Amino acid sequence: MTFLRVNQLKVHYPVRGGFFRKVIGHVKAVDGISFELKKGETYGLVGESGCGKTTTGRTIIGLVKATAGEILFDGKDLTKLSRREFVQYRKDIQMIFQDPYSSLNPRKRVLDIVAEPLRNFEKLSPQEEKRKVQGLIEKVGLHSDSVYKYPHEFSGGQRQRIGIARALTLNPKLIIADEPVSALDVSVQAQVLNFMKDIQKEFQLTYLFISHDLGIIRHMCDRIGIMYRGQFVEEGTKDEIFHDPKHIYTKRLLASIPNADPLRRQEQQKLRQQIEKDYEQLYSRYFDAEGRVYPLKRISETHSVAIP
Amino acid sequence: MKKTEYSPFSVLWREVVKDKLALSSLLLLSLILFIVYGASIVLDQEEIVKVDLLSIYSPPSAEHWLGTDYGGRDILGQLIIGARNSFTIGLAITLLTGLIGLTIGLIAGYFGGVIDNIIMRIIDFILILPFLMLVIVFVAIVPKYNVFTFILIMSAFLWTGKARLIRAKVLAERELDYVSASKTLGTPDWKIIVREILPNLSSIIIVNLTLNLAGNIGIESGLSYLGFGLPESTPSLGTLVSYATNPDVLQNKWWVWLPASVLILVMMLCINFIGQALKRAADARQRLG
């Protein structure tokens, strides 16, 4: 059974202008995307900045209202629920935020930050609460005494792990990770990513992993969806996307990954130039008159591409 | 282990201590307030405002340290009771406007949209009303006019500035991820407002209220001077200064108006210096300490 199904999701923002502030157009942040998540897998949403991947994540967790479409979670449409009903599903969906600096309230101790969801959903005595928080903090690799510290006493990687501990507090089923490591330096990135993989096994988590970094996506994800201007360009398993990309946009994106081997630098550059030439020549085959991509077409069991 | 945590209050305190002008202002102000509130417990207001025809306009002497006014009333007694009244009024207006402004500013800023729009239009409406004229009209029509009604009338107009300031700060604060995080963790809105956003505004609130306190004492004195403040039976610093509208008093009987004027000046300056130091503490780039 599918775990989370997003169906023709649209998030449009009205653009107002003129004397009477009439709606003169829409910014189509997310424009009709559909995808499915299976239990226990990691699904990667990739795209350039501003393509709507973060908006998609925030809509699923309810921070942004969907304009149209449905989000089916365990068979229930989240977009139709009132705020009060949504609260029950809060426990099952949690989010890891991009910026570990602004996502922790500087005025609260780690104990209060991590215990916040517990205080909302579970009535625990202060001792039980503290024990649970200390357990979580140790699980993310920090010392249990850190619960009495404030966020500014930690490094970026440690802060992000506090954010992860907070997301794990309620034993969620789905975690939306919105560029969880893009604010961290490379050595810490690997540490946090591997940790996320470990807890995925331990807690049977499903990740919706949002990132623009293809290297990280390749490391983390089972299936990948490439977004461009609020729409899906290509969707498939990791192998399909990385070894058999069909859409010119995906090819350009993959060609932009730098090659660490200096001997093959020439080769890489030639490939990049070749793809750039293809892109200019074949532009009209892949994009319509407005510069948008065509609807997705299924070319194999798991692989879909937006070609006419 | 080195203590690295600085609460906002300790930062404010350090800044005041570091700034010698602010520290001496704080000491002087505490001394004045201690004397004023201490002495006003002992003094009897009825006794002081009682007219004594035998000692009209008597200059400073052993019996009346600061002389008497045109009713033969002791200036020193009036000064102390007046300072107490003026400061109490200023403080009460500041706290009341702070409370109203904070509540409304937090609500408008946090919820935004239609709620914000309605509240801001109401504030705009209150702001364009001719404040001073309306206060004067109220003073004329309110039958029982005392310290309490005065505070209420002033507060009804002065909360708007605070509400605007707080709203602007909340608008910036609510976009930060920790507010989104609290929402995704299922924290109700009122809890996010009170527990998450409010503590992050504490320093700006303290600074603004302190600077406003000086202004509010001034407003009371100004209105009393114009004759629309408190009645003569309730002495205030403004009433004492307003005796100087009589040219004879202004020229020849300095002891009637000078002490009150100096006291207003000293108190407002002290509060302002403290406020400036707190303001610097709230902005990390300007800190001395």
Side-chain angles (χ1 to χ4, degrees), chain A residues 58 61 63 83 90 93-94 97-99 102-108 116-117 120-121 150 152-153 166, chain B residues 4-6 8 176-189 191 195-197 199-200 202-203:
Chain A
R58 285 183 174 248
I61 203 163
L63 286 173
R83 273 199 72 158
R90 282 264 184 260
I93 309 178
Q94 283 297 314
F97 288 87
Q98 178 174 3
D99 181 5
S102 78
S103 64
L104 304 177
N105 191 341
R107 288 275 187 272
K108 285 167 76 177
E116 189 181 334
N120 289 330
F121 287 102
Y150 286 82
H152 70 89
E153 295 173 59
R166 173 172 66 183
Chain B
T4 47
E5 167 53 19
Y6 296 117
L176 293 177
D177 270 346
Y178 74 83
V179 177
S180 302
S182 279
K183 283 184 193 165
T184 65
L185 297 169
T187 311
D189 285 329
K191 246 187 192 168
R195 298 253 185 88
E196 308 281 327
I197 295 179
N200 281 299
S202 57
S203 55

Side-chain angles (χ1 to χ4, degrees), chain B:
Chain B
M1 204 176 83
K2 196 173 158 277
K3 197 171 179 291
T4 47
E5 167 53 19
Y6 296 117
S7 78
F9 299 102
S10 75
V11 171
L12 294 178
W13 176 246
R14 271 193 314 150
E15 186 66 31
V16 170
V17 172
K18 193 85 186 171
D19 185 348
K20 291 289 164 272
L21 192 59
L23 185 63
S24 34
S25 297
L26 184 66
L27 291 176
L28 183 60
L29 187 69
S30 329
L31 187 71
I32 292 174
L33 291 181
F34 182 73
I35 293 173
V36 161
Y37 279 88
S40 61
I41 297 171
V42 187
L43 290 172
D44 181 12
Q45 188 173 325
E46 294 293 312
E47 197 61 40
I48 284 166
V49 297
K50 200 180 270 173
V51 175
D52 178 7
L53 292 175
L54 294 175
S55 55
I56 290 175
Y57 286 138
S58 67
S61 63
E63 193 192 349
H64 301 289
W65 286 5
L66 284 174
T68 57
D69 65 359
Y70 74 95
R73 293 168 290 203
D74 184 39
I75 296 287
L76 183 64
Q78 288 193 65
L79 188 69
I80 286 170
I81 300 278
R84 187 199 63 185
N85 285 342
S86 291
F87 190 82
T88 310
I89 289 169
L91 192 67
I93 294 175
T94 310
L95 291 180
L96 205 57
T97 53
L99 196 69
I100 302 172
L102 199 60
T103 317
I104 292 182
L106 280 169
I107 290 173
Y110 180 77
F111 291 105
V114 185
I115 298 175
D116 181 36
N117 224 333
I118 293 172
I119 291 177
M120 289 319 285
R121 294 298 80 78
I122 294 173
I123 288 179
D124 286 345
F125 174 73
I126 295 175
L127 277 177
I128 55 151
L129 292 176
F131 160 64
L132 218 54
M133 201 191 86
L134 280 173
V135 170
I136 291 168
V137 170
F138 272 123
V139 171
I141 58 172
V142 170
K144 231 181 114 243
Y145 189 58
N146 54 24
V147 173
F148 186 64
T149 41
F150 186 82
I151 291 170
L152 282 188
I153 291 169
M154 300 301 280
S155 303
F157 287 97
L158 291 175
W159 60 270
T160 50
K162 304 271 189 321
R164 281 185 140 196
L165 176 88
I166 300 295
R167 167 186 172 267
K169 286 285 163 197
V170 177
L171 278 180
E173 204 71 22
R174 71 157 186 186
E175 296 302 324
L176 293 177
D177 270 346
Y178 74 83
V179 177
S180 302
S182 279
K183 283 184 193 165
T184 65
L185 297 169
T187 311
D189 285 329
W190 68 267
K191 246 187 192 168
I192 298 179
I193 294 176
V194 177
R195 298 253 185 88
E196 308 281 327
I197 295 179
L198 191 58
N200 281 299
L201 299 178
S202 57
S203 55
I204 184 98
I205 294 168
I206 294 171
V207 172
N208 184 257
L209 290 189
T210 314
L211 288 174
N212 261 292
L213 179 59
N216 288 339
I217 293 174
I219 281 185
E220 186 279 326
S221 305
L223 274 175
S224 295
Y225 176 80
L226 291 174
F228 299 104
L230 297 166
E232 258 179 47
S233 56
T234 327
S236 84
L237 295 179
T239 8
L240 283 174
V241 178
S242 73
Y243 291 143
T245 43
N246 181 344
D248 176 44
V249 172
L250 184 63
Q251 208 168 2
N252 303 321
K253 300 172 174 87
W254 58 267
W255 61 85
V256 177
W257 54 270
L258 192 61
S261 310
V262 171
L263 191 59
I264 292 175
L265 184 72
V266 169
M267 281 212 299
M268 284 176 72
L269 270 180
C270 283
I271 296 172
N272 246 318
F273 286 138
I274 299 168
Q276 294 295 346
L278 295 182
K279 194 176 182 181
R280 259 183 283 117
D283 181 355
R285 279 168 302 178
Q286 297 182 7
R287 262 177 224 161
L288 300 174

